[in-house]
Amino acid sequence: MSHRQLLSLLASLGIVAAGTSSQSLRVSHAAALHASRSALVAEQQPPLERAEYQVKLGAMDAGTGEMTVVGRDTVDGHDTYHAVLHIEGGLGPLRIDDRFESWMDVASWNDPDKLFSRRFVQDQRELGNRRQRTYEMSPERKRYRRVDTDETIALHTDRPLDDVSVVFLARGLPLKTGDVYTIDRYFKAEANPIVLRVLRRETVTVPAGTFRAIVVRPTIKTSGLFGEGGEAELFFSDDARHTLVKMQSKVPLIGSLTLLLQRVDAAGLSRSP
């Protein structure tokens, strides 16, 4: 089926507008493909890890969030863990619906020094605006591709990271107060380095209970959750699992965004061989 035929078919079904360009079609088609594959995986197997969060904007309850390791999936012939960070909520017109997805190489899972991503999807709806990006990473070919523009860009590292996989990398580190990790592995060369600062230990109370936590500040030179102006802080449980029990960040025009752990189920996921 040609591009024109596919576009006409989708328009007749009401999936895209009749005047949609081929570039817009690539975006919609890629998003639909990833969504359908993700739904299929979710139906076939229970999540390996699922953490649910209460979302606050300032002091107000404003929505829900989740960090889920959906299961295993294949990307470019390689076995991966598919993880999703989803944040939804708002107050009045100040609403967000952000979904970040990462497919992390299974063979690299147990070693933070080797952990890397093979695909990253960014779908953000904030204050009426939408930003969609899909990146396919191929360390073996030393390049990554931005799907919506079909642009191929040189990959400067053979262990690329994204906004989600960096959280899982941090969970696998020793995390001693005062430590600073400088990691030159973000998949976009200009956004490096990723910096993880272990700030302090403190006790935090969230809906799931009271936890002794290790506080880490991640910084990436992007406009995402961990951008330089967001002053994000990740609160990991001070135990072997390093569960994310709280996250807070600054969001333009909205103010402070906080995720508080409500419940977690991690029975199906292990970082041991």
Side-chain angles (χ1 to χ4, degrees):
M1 181 181 291
S2 69
H3 242 72
R4 184 180 298 275
Q5 290 171 320
L6 179 58
L7 185 58
S8 298
L9 175 61
L10 294 176
S12 70
L13 294 173
I15 296 173
V16 298
T20 303
S21 68
S22 61
Q23 177 171 316
S24 297
L25 175 61
R26 282 199 299 270
V27 177
S28 300
H29 187 238
L33 177 61
H34 290 314
S36 62
R37 287 186 63 184
S38 299
L40 179 60
V41 169
E43 288 178 0
Q44 291 175 337
Q45 56 190 351
L48 298 178
E49 178 180 86
R50 179 182 175 87
E52 299 175 0
Y53 298 89
Q54 175 187 30
V55 172
K56 285 182 173 286
L57 293 178
M60 303 289 291
D61 293 345
T64 60
E66 67 175 75
M67 174 82 84
T68 304
V69 181
V70 178
R72 293 171 83 134
D73 197 1
T74 301
V75 174
D76 196 21
H78 298 274
D79 198 14
T80 65
Y81 283 123
H82 176 199
V84 177
L85 171 60
H86 185 206
I87 304 169
E88 183 177 14
L91 298 172
L94 301 178
R95 304 200 64 81
I96 63 171
D97 185 354
D98 290 350
R99 185 179 179 90
F100 304 89
E101 302 184 60
S102 179
W103 283 255
M104 293 166 281
D105 189 83
V106 167
S108 71
W109 179 254
N110 289 314
D111 187 345
D113 289 334
K114 297 179 180 178
L115 180 69
F116 70 92
S117 307
R118 290 192 175 273
R119 177 186 293 147
F120 177 53
V121 173
Q122 186 178 22
D123 188 356
Q124 295 174 266
R125 296 176 177 90
E126 297 180 356
L127 306 177
N129 299 312
R130 187 169 188 181
R131 174 187 175 92
Q132 286 180 290
R133 303 285 188 270
T134 297
Y135 301 95
E136 302 280 355
M137 293 171 242
S138 178
E140 294 81 8
R141 302 180 186 92
K142 304 293 185 184
R143 66 183 185 227
Y144 70 91
R145 184 170 70 95
R146 180 172 156 179
V147 173
D148 59 302
T149 61
D150 202 24
E151 181 182 8
T152 299
I153 303 166
L155 192 60
H156 76 107
T157 174
D158 59 358
R159 293 168 292 160
L161 295 168
D162 57 51
D163 302 58
V164 176
S165 58
V166 73
V167 175
F168 287 88
L169 179 144
R171 289 177 61 183
L173 296 172
L175 301 181
K176 298 178 180 178
T177 301
D179 283 354
V180 177
Y181 297 89
T182 302
I183 305 163
D184 192 32
R185 294 205 279 124
Y186 195 75
F187 74 98
K188 293 181 179 180
E190 67 274 13
N192 283 292
I194 300 167
V195 180
L196 301 174
R197 293 182 173 86
V198 186
L199 301 180
R200 63 189 182 276
R201 277 173 161 76
E202 67 176 73
T203 299
V204 296
T205 298
V206 296
T210 299
F211 296 84
R212 186 67 178 163
I214 309 165
V215 185
V216 177
R217 172 164 292 167
T219 305
I220 308 173
K221 296 176 184 177
T222 68
S223 58
L225 280 174
F226 307 137
E228 291 179 297
E231 299 181 2
E233 291 186 347
L234 304 175
F235 295 69
F236 296 110
S237 60
D238 192 2
D239 55 24
R241 191 172 287 277
H242 285 168
T243 300
L244 182 65
V245 298
K246 178 180 175 180
M247 181 178 78
Q248 60 188 29
S249 182
K250 294 180 181 177
V251 178
L253 301 180
I254 292 179
S256 65
L257 172 71
T258 304
L259 274 66
L260 303 171
L261 183 68
Q262 291 182 309
R263 66 180 300 272
V264 62
D265 180 4
L269 186 64
S270 173
R271 295 200 83 131
S272 59

